[in-house]
Amino acid sequence: MKKLIYLITMVIAFSACTNDFEETNTNPYQISGESLKQDFNHVGAFYSSMLSQIFGNQVDHNLTNVTFAQHLATPTPFVGGVNNTTYYIRWNGYWAREYNNVMAPAKQVIDIAAADGYDVFVEWANLIRIVSMSRVTTYYGPILYTNYGSTESALYDSEETLYNAFFSDLDRIISVFSANTDYVGLNNFDASYGGDVSKWARYANSLRLQLAMRISKVAPDLAKAQGEKAMADPVGLIETNADNFNISLYGQKFHPAQICFEWGDTRMSATMESILIGYKDNRIAPFFDPVSDMSLVTDHPDWPYKGIRNGAELVAKDDRLSFSTIDVSFNDPAKVTKRKVMSADEVFFIKAEAALRGWAGAGDAQANYEAGVRASFELWGAGGVDAYLADNTSLPIDYNDPVATGAVNDFVNQITTTVAWDEAASNEIKLEKIITQKWIAAYTNEMEAWVDYRRTGYPKLPPVYQNSSNSDWGIIPDGEAIKRMPFVNSEREGNAAGVADATAKLGGPDEIGTRLWWDTGGPNF
């Protein structure tokens, strides 16, 4: 089957750039366009490739949003230790990856599917476009979406325009999916939900809720309306792990495992060490491997895990290779076959915040908060969730770098909220609990964790130790965090007018310290 899909993909790619293909001599043993239409192969072969590109590689993901969210950190002093992780931008490839590998083929397959009247395939591709672009905009702000593929305009959408377009497109997508729950055309191509259109509808509805909460501070009325629409929709939300949206690895190794075990360029973060050990969080075992050198963990020998501070002052890569890797099971493609994009825990945490914000249909904040924690523990096979949720004393610990001399790379924990829910606490404290647990549960899909940190200020992450930002890409004041990635050089050079217009829509200079639209910097309530 893999060989067939590969062959199909190659045929489509070749035919796409050959206008008069059908007029040339045809090999009788070659797969023809008509035979590809059998069982929807002429459209279905696009989807696995598009979905596999949602997560970037080391440059696009691991050295950008993963380190900005402080889940993993690098032991490697790339470019003399002055790089993305210390707020000097060396790599900025996510834009090209998503436009070349998702938006371009999506446009092509939408045209083909629309011509043949395959509405579900059309909207499946449109949904994948939103998945991709809703992530790309968290890097840059204004992006090309409604004008993508236009021969008349290469102007970016403002973020306000973009989110309204997302919501409008989701209306149509969910309507088509809801009306076609018995459709079987996706079956041979859908490694996420096995062709179950109702589950795609549930994911699309959950995505609406996620995007609504993302803009809750800058456009509270729109956010509330869209969030309530998602929670009231009879199609439902992702509220069990059986409905989680995962992307198949299609037989490939989980990419962070390659970065960790083959290249030695990523390890547990010091922030993960501080929070997971301080909270006595049993998810630490399926997340990370313990160290073999107990001299690294003399401050907590019962929890033998050691992380690296994000933006650490690093001298040599070998100094910290003995720190905790991600769990070794990630290195086995037979054990780790997929990567999550949205899971039930995230939906429960969004509903918990929605309850604090008074959105109709959200339910009880505490019930949702605890359901989110339970769903995450279940997903990772971790025990002890009842004791964890009842713990009203444990706090994250201070961090000590056992390799550096003195206080270099060390930090003092700033988180003062415990895990246990406190109904008498202020909404601000309740929100901190919710977002801190949402941050932990986001492991392996850190992008929304970076969003939440910028949007709410939670969790209270330590600042990078080494801040290398300067006027080249914008200055991040000491103690603050990076806000965005700059527009890419290919666009600056090839679409200068579009970038100038996008910068005006951004509302500030094209620098890493300019806040995105939804990142107001104002109070949470």
Side-chain angles (χ1 to χ4, degrees):
M1 183 63 185
K2 290 180 182 177
K3 290 182 178 179
L4 175 60
I5 287 182
Y6 175 78
L7 180 58
I8 291 166
T9 304
M10 293 303 293
V11 171
I12 291 172
F14 181 72
S15 62
C17 60
T18 309
N19 293 331
D20 61 347
F21 180 78
E22 292 183 358
E23 298 177 6
T24 64
N25 293 329
T26 302
N27 184 332
Y29 300 105
Q30 186 170 335
I31 296 177
S32 68
E34 286 305 311
S35 62
L36 285 174
K37 287 187 177 182
Q38 297 176 11
D39 298 324
F40 308 103
N41 284 318
H42 68 306
V43 290
F46 285 81
Y47 290 85
S48 62
S49 177
M50 289 190 292
L51 285 166
S52 69
Q53 297 297 325
I54 295 298
F55 285 95
N57 61 13
Q58 180 179 23
V59 166
D60 308 333
H61 194 65
N62 195 253
L63 292 171
T64 309
N65 71 83
V66 177
T67 190
F68 298 159
Q70 298 193 18
H71 274 200
L72 302 176
T74 184
T76 309
F78 293 106
V79 200
V82 178
N83 54 63
N84 286 25
T85 69
T86 62
Y87 296 167
Y88 187 88
I89 306 306
R90 300 286 187 185
W91 315 289
N92 189 8
Y94 197 53
W95 177 285
R97 171 178 291 273
E98 297 306 290
Y99 281 100
N100 292 342
N101 297 296
V102 179
M103 289 294 280
K107 182 179 186 303
Q108 186 179 2
V109 75
I110 287 168
D111 289 344
I112 296 170
D116 288 339
Y118 299 153
D119 292 346
V120 177
F121 276 99
V122 168
E123 300 308 345
W124 192 20
N126 276 320
L127 178 58
I128 294 170
R129 278 166 32 100
I130 299 175
V131 176
S132 172
M133 292 297 103
S134 68
R135 294 166 73 89
V136 170
T137 185
T138 68
Y139 276 58
Y140 305 104
I143 58 172
L144 280 164
Y145 181 71
T146 61
N147 290 325
Y148 180 79
S150 170
T151 58
E152 298 179 358
S153 173
L155 294 182
Y156 297 18
D157 292 308
S158 71
E159 292 176 85
E160 183 174 9
T161 298
L162 181 68
Y163 282 88
N164 276 291
F166 287 159
F167 293 134
S168 178
D169 287 349
L170 284 168
D171 285 342
R172 187 189 63 254
I173 291 165
I174 294 169
S175 176
V176 169
F177 284 176
S178 297
N180 290 277
T181 55
D182 57 350
Y183 187 71
V184 298
L186 309 188
N187 290 11
N188 291 334
F189 313 101
D190 177 11
S192 296
Y193 286 131
D196 189 333
V197 179
S198 65
K199 289 192 175 185
W200 280 107
R202 202 165 294 140
Y203 166 65
N205 202 37
S206 302
L207 178 60
R208 183 198 298 279
L209 182 62
Q210 180 193 71
L211 298 179
M213 188 55 73
R214 193 186 287 176
I215 64 170
S216 58
K217 287 172 62 175
V218 70
D221 292 341
L222 175 62
K224 184 173 187 288
Q226 290 295 326
E228 290 179 347
K229 178 186 283 191
M231 291 183 289
D233 196 311
V235 75
L237 297 163
I238 296 172
E239 294 188 298
T240 69
N241 285 320
D243 286 343
N244 291 352
F245 174 36
N246 302 303
I247 291 177
S248 173
L249 299 179
Y250 300 101
Q252 301 299 309
K253 182 181 289 188
F254 180 66
H255 194 65
Q258 184 179 40
I259 300 168
C260 182
F261 296 105
E262 295 181 26
W263 305 341
D265 284 337
T266 198
R267 292 292 184 269
M268 178 188 198
S269 74
T271 309
M272 273 287 192
E273 176 190 336
S274 168
I275 292 176
L276 294 180
I277 292 177
Y279 281 154
K280 301 179 178 63
D281 194 321
N282 289 329
R283 286 171 289 185
I284 197 170
F287 285 6
F288 300 104
D289 270 2
V291 297
S292 56
D293 181 358
M294 294 299 291
S295 70
L296 299 174
V297 291
T298 55
D299 50 341
H300 46 73
D302 292 339
W303 293 79
Y305 299 86
K306 178 54 62 176
I308 301 170
R309 184 170 181 176
N310 294 91
E313 180 181 295
L314 304 171
V315 177
K317 179 174 181 176
D318 287 349
D319 290 345
R320 292 171 182 81
L321 285 178
S322 58
F323 285 28
S324 289
T325 63
I326 64 175
D327 186 74
V328 71
S329 64
F330 287 107
N331 203 36
D332 186 348
K335 293 180 179 178
V336 179
T337 61
K338 58 192 176 183
R339 188 168 189 176
K340 69 173 181 175
V341 179
M342 182 174 286
S343 47
D345 50 70
E346 181 179 356
V347 173
F348 283 122
F349 291 130
I350 296 172
K351 289 178 67 178
E353 182 176 351
L356 296 185
R357 297 189 180 281
W359 293 6
D364 180 72
Q366 178 178 354
N368 281 306
Y369 169 77
E370 293 181 350
V373 174
R374 290 183 185 281
S376 179
F377 269 68
E378 176 189 73
L379 180 63
W380 292 99
V385 68
D386 290 336
Y388 183 81
L389 285 169
D391 188 345
N392 61 2
T393 57
S394 297
L395 292 172
I397 62 174
D398 298 339
Y399 172 76
N400 172 65
D401 185 338
V403 173
T405 302
V408 172
N409 297 332
D410 297 351
F411 65 77
V412 175
N413 163 59
Q414 299 298 311
I415 297 173
T416 58
T417 56
T418 62
V419 172
W421 188 261
D422 179 3
E423 190 56 37
S426 67
N427 275 356
E428 195 67 41
I429 291 174
K430 291 174 181 176
L431 181 64
E432 182 176 1
K433 288 178 184 286
I434 292 165
I435 301 299
T436 301
Q437 287 300 319
K438 190 179 177 187
W439 178 89
I440 297 170
Y443 184 62
T444 71
N445 182 25
E446 291 81 4
M447 194 168 292
E448 208 65 23
W450 183 33
V451 168
D452 284 335
Y453 176 60
R454 289 176 285 169
R455 178 176 67 88
T456 69
Y458 300 129
K460 293 177 181 175
L461 304 177
V464 295
Y465 184 80
Q466 180 180 325
N467 182 344
S468 304
S469 64
N470 64 27
S471 58
D472 289 352
W473 299 110
I475 296 173
I476 302 298
D478 288 342
E480 295 189 19
I482 189 169
K483 303 297 189 292
R484 64 182 289 271
M485 293 288 282
F487 295 125
V488 296
N489 286 335
S490 61
E491 282 290 295
R492 291 179 173 195
E493 296 165 3
N495 184 19
V499 170
D501 180 70
T503 302
K505 291 169 178 171
L506 181 65
D510 180 19
E511 296 179 353
I512 62 175
T514 299
R515 293 180 183 273
L516 298 188
W517 179 58
W518 41 262
D519 176 14
T520 67
N524 286 312
F525 297 99

